[in-house]
Amino acid sequence: MSSPLRIWHPFTNSTLDPPPLHVARAEGVWLYTQDGRRILDAISSWWVNLHGHANPRIAAAIATQAKKLEHVILAGFTHDAAEELAARLSKWTAPNLTHMFFSDDGSTAVEVAMKLAVQHFSNQQRPQKKEIVALTHGYHGDTAGAMSASDDSPFTEPFRGMRFPVHRVNAAYCYRCPVGLKRESCHIECSQQLEMLLAERSEQIAAVIVEPLLQAAGGMIVHPVEFLQRIRNLCTDHGVLLIADEVLTGFGRTGKMFACDLAGITPDLACLSKGITGGFLAMGVTLCNEQVASAFHSENRTHTFYHGHSYTGNALACAAANANLQIFDDEPVFDRIATIARITAERLTQFRAMHKVGDTRQIGTIGAIELLAEDAGYLSAMRPKLYNFFLERGVLLRPLGNVVYVLPPYVISPEELHRAYDVIQEAIETLF
Ligand code: PLP
């Protein structure tokens, strides 16, 4: 008999990293391993889980849907679960985002947004307006287009040659201000680079893509709302589309349903994924406004958007997303979010006083601590030490190099949340 295939684990170095932990089951914020350990999932399993693992309401909705319709091609067909999701989402999204396009995950939601932006202009006989602007420290996914929009990092280095060129402009990373100012006295001068670029090349630029208010994988970098508002205004003034990649920030993570709501702005296109199904199934959604969509309403067949994944609009994923949104409707989800935000703020105040801490950042439910490090960055030697330290104490936290963060499911109790911050405190006090 042949031996089973060896699973190739993402972001895992088979020589340097410990063997994978075998999870037998999960409930709430807890993962239960086959060898009898209990691990607190303080990062929502790569930022997807909202209402707890094995949430019975979402599980039941998937089971019911599976007995009725598991999947049908979405080209030329539709189904109840997708139509219901379109109606439910519209209760939360900005009124001028009128269309939704399904894909598979966060990366493909980003690919779709960039392609829609480019084809929008090409359908209007403006094929030269095809360039993309993205931010330093940005991360938008691992497929080729999303990698192109993402900033250079150890993730993208081997693929330098297959990334298409984008314009890269400053992000508002206040702790390491790109223009050497202090937030208390600045006027968001970091946005001047974008302003100059758009003034020069708006005839060639199709879209600016940003992670609104929070650059996550780039180091949990929180931007002032004025930065996002400035970008929105600049895009409007120069006739350039704004893509908000809300793949992580969506569904309450920042304290509002979407980060753009916090800044009071509406993008032209928005990318959703991760929490959309409550963390149960993969799904990507790209929203766009009537202006973007109108270029595709055409009697010319070549103006069709020829992009579609096999599992686009999968009925099981739609059922999970509908159950997720139903939980937002009838459980005190935003009270839970407010409690997490309050405890996070209290704990970060304590961390700020520690001399090994360079910066602390918070947006809504997410708290981050940037540790002082000579090798700051994703490959910091601190990272494996911290990761193993946390796991040995039964807490799943995946530092981004020298940046440790907590991004919990909303059902975490105050005691469990304190436990996550306690182990971080212990690590800082004892490891370095
Ligand atoms: N965009 C953002 C802001 C993300 O944080 C991520 C993943 O972390 C992605 C896109 C890519 O999503 P996925 O991993 O589902 O492809």
Side-chain angles (χ1 to χ4, degrees):
M1 208 179 81
S2 60
S3 51
L5 291 170
R6 290 167 62 192
I7 297 175
W8 193 323
H9 295 268
F11 280 65
T12 305
N13 181 313
S14 58
T15 307
L16 297 173
D17 291 324
L21 287 169
H22 195 131
V23 175
R25 67 182 186 88
E27 193 182 333
V29 295
W30 294 99
L31 309 174
Y32 296 88
T33 64
Q34 210 176 39
D35 62 4
R37 297 174 58 187
R38 191 171 90 125
I39 296 170
L40 174 65
D41 183 355
I43 56 155
S44 305
S45 277
W46 251 346
W47 316 344
V48 299
N49 193 284
L50 302 187
H51 312 299
H53 288 281
N55 179 289
R57 297 184 65 183
I58 302 177
I62 295 170
T64 305
Q65 180 66 43
K67 290 181 211 148
K68 186 174 156 200
L69 170 71
E70 81 303 343
H71 182 69
V72 65
I73 179 173
L74 208 71
F77 289 80
T78 191
H79 56 79
D80 287 348
E83 297 295 330
E84 183 182 331
L85 180 55
R88 283 183 179 277
L89 259 185
S90 69
K91 284 197 233 158
W92 295 99
T93 52
N96 59 338
L97 292 173
T98 47
H99 289 64
M100 70 186 289
F101 191 95
F102 285 105
S103 59
D104 291 350
D105 49 41
S107 303
T108 52
V110 167
E111 301 278 348
V112 166
M114 293 193 294
K115 288 176 72 173
L116 281 175
V118 168
Q119 191 177 341
H120 162 79
F121 290 112
S122 102
N123 282 0
Q124 294 178 326
Q125 317 312 323
R126 299 174 76 187
Q128 80 291 351
K129 201 165 157 64
K130 62 179 192 305
E131 297 172 2
I132 302 288
V133 183
L135 300 183
T136 54
H137 309 291
Y139 174 78
H140 298 283
D142 290 345
T143 54
M147 259 201 316
S148 306
S150 304
D151 200 358
D152 302 345
S153 76
F155 310 165
T156 62
E157 182 51 29
F159 314 108
R160 221 175 329 150
M162 61 188 277
R163 292 162 72 206
F164 62 73
V166 304
H167 299 282
R168 183 84 44 207
V169 295
N170 285 330
Y173 189 176
C174 300
Y175 175 58
R176 298 170 191 273
C177 174
V179 288
L181 299 175
K182 291 260 171 288
R183 178 65 198 109
E184 305 79 67
S185 52
C186 85
H187 299 94
I188 317 290
E189 283 83 347
C190 51
S191 66
Q192 284 170 0
Q193 221 184 14
L194 175 64
E195 191 171 348
M196 276 154 54
L197 177 67
L198 294 185
E200 264 172 38
R201 287 192 72 80
S202 64
E203 280 310 305
Q204 284 78 36
I205 293 172
V208 176
I209 181 166
V210 299
E211 289 160 271
L213 300 185
L214 177 74
Q215 291 185 295
M220 294 295 163
I221 300 165
V222 180
H223 300 162
V225 289
E226 294 86 346
F227 179 68
L228 182 57
Q229 291 163 343
R230 185 77 56 86
I231 294 176
R232 172 66 278 182
N233 290 338
L234 288 170
C235 287
T236 305
D237 293 349
H238 292 278
V240 164
L241 299 171
L242 175 61
I243 302 172
D245 175 355
E246 294 248 22
V247 165
L248 165 62
T249 50
F251 302 97
R253 295 285 182 201
T254 67
K256 293 266 192 194
M257 196 59 159
F258 298 107
C260 287
D261 302 342
L262 269 181
I265 66 124
T266 308
D268 300 293
L269 297 118
C271 311
L272 310 179
S273 185
K274 290 201 185 276
I276 193 168
T277 61
F280 269 67
L281 287 163
M283 169 181 273
V285 164
T286 305
L287 305 170
C288 74
N289 60 21
E290 191 58 47
Q291 180 204 338
V292 172
S294 63
F296 296 82
H297 307 323
S298 164
E299 291 186 359
N300 182 342
R301 206 168 260 291
T302 66
H303 288 177
T304 309
F305 188 50
Y306 286 116
H307 182 117
H309 302 282
S310 312
Y311 281 95
T312 281
N314 175 258
L316 302 179
C318 288
N322 287 326
N324 168 38
L325 291 176
Q326 185 65 45
I327 291 172
F328 272 93
D329 282 346
D330 46 43
E331 293 187 25
V333 178
F334 280 97
D335 292 346
R336 293 172 189 153
I337 287 172
T339 303
I340 296 169
R342 182 180 48 75
I343 294 171
T344 302
E346 284 164 20
R347 293 305 300 253
L348 289 185
T349 309
Q350 298 160 3
F351 281 97
R352 214 163 294 141
M354 296 176 86
H355 70 274
K356 289 167 199 156
V357 171
D359 190 27
T360 59
R361 303 187 273 272
Q362 180 183 4
I363 186 163
T365 61
I366 304 165
I369 299 145
E370 178 160 347
L371 300 175
L372 295 173
E374 286 182 2
D375 59 350
Y378 191 80
L379 296 183
S380 169
M382 285 181 162
R383 200 247 168 224
K385 285 190 202 149
L386 287 162
Y387 176 76
N388 293 331
F389 183 95
F390 298 141
L391 262 192
E392 279 159 19
R393 281 152 189 79
V395 182
L396 170 56
L397 288 162
R398 286 179 59 90
L400 297 156
N402 57 312
V403 178
V404 188
Y405 68 90
V406 180
L407 196 159
Y410 305 150
V411 291
I412 195 166
S413 70
E415 296 71 35
E416 290 159 344
L417 186 56
H418 279 296
R419 171 81 191 130
Y421 281 104
D422 286 345
V423 295
I424 297 174
Q425 194 170 335
E426 192 189 343
I428 298 172
E429 282 164 357
T430 57
L431 275 183
F432 310 109

